[in-house]
Amino acid sequence: MLKSKQKLWVTISLLAVYILCFTLVAVRWMNTFNKNIYVINESVNSHITNFTLSVLLCTLIGYFLFLAGKKYKFTFIIGCLLIASNFIYEMFLPVLNTTDIVDALYGLVGVVMSLVYLHFVGKYGLERE
């Protein structure tokens, strides 16, 4: 059962975050068909998927933790685990990917941005029931 209720700005900002991430991924995959389409430049374009996946995953998990009544500390722990797993995967497990530390750094930036956003959501965006 949910223990917190979100304010309207949280709903709007969460939708904006997901629409932005969807747009970044869509532009990234449009590059597959037209090499002249970039998110910002070729370097950012090749790593933007890891950034968006990190943002989406961290934001979604943190949001549900807040709605379940958990404190920011739990969200921060999840963010640290996501960062660690991202670096481990990108450096040591080339399963579906080549090892790429820059990809891990983009994931780190995505998680850190999500944690900053979730800090404000947890502090100002929820009404405890």
Side-chain angles (χ1 to χ4, degrees):
M1 175 162 273
L2 300 179
K3 297 183 180 185
S4 297
K5 189 171 133 180
Q6 66 190 14
K7 294 181 181 177
L8 180 61
W9 71 266
V10 174
T11 304
I12 294 169
S13 65
L14 196 62
L15 284 172
V17 167
Y18 276 78
I19 289 170
L20 174 69
C21 288
F22 175 75
T23 304
L24 290 173
V25 170
V27 171
R28 162 66 178 104
W29 289 108
M30 286 180 0
N31 177 259
T32 304
F33 302 107
N34 184 348
K35 299 295 182 194
N36 295 323
I37 299 175
Y38 296 109
V39 174
I40 293 174
N41 61 32
E42 191 173 344
S43 176
V44 171
N45 204 61
S46 63
H47 302 290
I48 201 70
T49 305
N50 201 342
F51 170 81
T52 55
L53 288 174
S54 297
V55 168
L56 293 172
L57 192 57
C58 187
T59 305
L60 182 68
I61 293 171
Y63 171 73
F64 283 135
L65 285 172
F66 283 144
L67 288 182
K70 302 296 182 190
K71 298 200 182 287
Y72 180 76
K73 174 176 71 172
F74 293 102
T75 302
F76 184 77
I77 291 169
I78 293 296
C80 290
L81 291 173
L82 286 171
I83 290 169
S85 62
N86 194 11
F87 272 90
I88 290 169
Y89 177 75
E90 289 296 340
M91 291 171 47
F92 303 113
L93 300 172
V95 178
L96 298 173
N97 200 358
T98 58
T99 56
D100 187 4
I101 192 70
V102 177
D103 242 359
L105 293 174
Y106 273 79
L108 170 72
V109 171
V111 171
V112 168
M113 288 177 64
S114 295
L115 288 174
V116 169
Y117 168 73
L118 290 169
H119 171 73
F120 289 106
V121 168
K123 193 166 188 168
Y124 305 111
L126 300 173
E127 298 170 353
R128 306 285 179 207
E129 293 181 352

